């Protein structure tokens, strides 16, 4: 992961990182025997953003229990942009059930596929997971100050897109009104 972040992304304009598995306070389970500490990840992200050729913006999406504990640690260097999204608060469990179809990620990616912004996908996924697990509170830090779900994060959030903005192929059908019942015995009618 370090090599991908500090090496591969050197000439990228934007870097998106998606991490999903088990997590604990300030750590992410990379494998059975390896934990990634939030401070270690922060060092890699700082190094690539301070390199002068690295990505202008980093978006990090972390799905795991206690994933919100990464937000205060992953503040970007001065003048750099880093957007953080976690599926749960710093002391909360995250639900990933039914082979992943009941999870914050599932709700989030479903909205992204429909062409919604990063923020709108977050908002809809937050509502979706809240219906299944009301005690799970997803977190969003847009301004990079290490404090999630502030008014400022949500005010600017709709302007955040992952990659180039896209819309769905066509608009959802809309029925503006319904014709009145026809009982006059005619064989044809305009609906």
């Amino acid at each position: 992961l370090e090599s991908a972040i500090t090496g591969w992304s050197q000439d990228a304009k934007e870097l998106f990182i998606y991490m999903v598995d088990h997590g604990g306070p300030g750590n992410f389970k990379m494998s059975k025997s390896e934990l990634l500490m939030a401070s270690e990840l922060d060092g890699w992200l700082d190094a690539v953003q301070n390199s002068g050729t690295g990505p202008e913006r980093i978006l990090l999406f972390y799905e795991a229990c206690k994933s919100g504990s990464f937000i205060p640690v992953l503040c970007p260097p001065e003048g750099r942009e880093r957007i953080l999204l976690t599926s749960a608060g710093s002391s909360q469990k995250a639900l990933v059930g039914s082979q992943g179809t009941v999870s914050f990620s599932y709700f989030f990616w479903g909205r992204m596929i429909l062409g919604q912004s990063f923020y709108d996908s977050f908002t809809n996924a937050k509502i979706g997971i809240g219906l299944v697990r009301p005690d799970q509170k997803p977190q969003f830090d847009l301004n990079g100050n290490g404090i999630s779900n502030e008014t400022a994060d949500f005010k600017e959030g709709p302007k955040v897109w992952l990659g180039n903005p896209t819309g769905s192929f066509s608009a959802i059908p809309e029925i503006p009104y319904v014709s009145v019942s026809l009982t006059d015995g005619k064989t044809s009618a305009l609906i």
Side-chain angles (χ1 to χ4, degrees):
L1 182 59
E2 178 183 11
S3 176
I5 291 171
T6 60
W8 297 351
S9 68
Q10 278 298 323
D11 60 351
K13 182 177 180 182
E14 182 174 87
L15 174 62
F16 176 71
I17 301 168
Y18 176 56
M19 301 181 342
V20 59
D21 206 324
H22 294 287
N27 66 67
F28 171 68
K29 189 174 182 178
M30 296 281 292
S31 68
K32 287 183 180 183
S33 61
E34 184 179 13
L35 288 180
L36 171 63
M37 304 307 293
S39 57
E40 186 176 20
L41 178 59
D42 183 57
W44 299 342
L45 298 177
D46 287 351
V48 75
Q49 284 192 292
N50 284 329
S51 70
T53 60
E56 297 172 14
R57 175 166 76 168
I58 293 177
L59 296 100
L60 176 85
F61 179 177
Y62 179 22
E63 167 96 51
C65 294
K66 300 174 179 50
S67 52
S69 64
F70 272 48
I71 290 178
V73 180
L74 297 181
C75 294
E78 187 69 34
R80 305 292 184 219
E81 186 178 9
R82 195 174 295 166
I83 298 167
L84 307 172
L85 168 70
T86 65
S87 64
S90 60
S91 61
Q92 298 171 340
K93 291 183 178 180
L95 174 65
V96 177
S98 297
Q99 298 179 333
T101 60
V102 180
S103 66
F104 179 76
S105 290
Y106 186 81
F107 294 122
F108 178 85
W109 292 116
R111 293 302 184 150
M112 288 294 289
I113 288 168
L114 292 175
Q116 288 192 338
S117 71
F118 197 74
Y119 169 79
D120 289 336
S121 297
F122 165 80
T123 301
N124 283 295
K126 182 178 175 183
I127 292 166
I129 199 67
L131 294 172
V132 182
R133 187 175 195 134
D135 61 333
Q136 182 177 336
K137 306 293 184 202
Q139 306 294 304
F140 184 66
D141 182 23
L142 174 70
N143 59 17
N145 68 352
I147 303 168
S148 56
N149 295 0
E150 294 179 297
T151 302
D153 295 319
F154 296 118
K155 183 179 178 185
E156 295 298 313
K159 299 175 186 174
V160 177
W161 290 86
L162 179 59
N164 294 322
T166 60
S168 57
F169 179 69
S170 62
I172 296 172
E174 188 176 311
I175 302 172
Y177 61 89
V178 178
S179 300
V180 294
S181 295
L182 302 174
T183 56
D184 59 7
K186 293 184 181 179
T187 57
S188 65
L190 180 64
I191 348 185

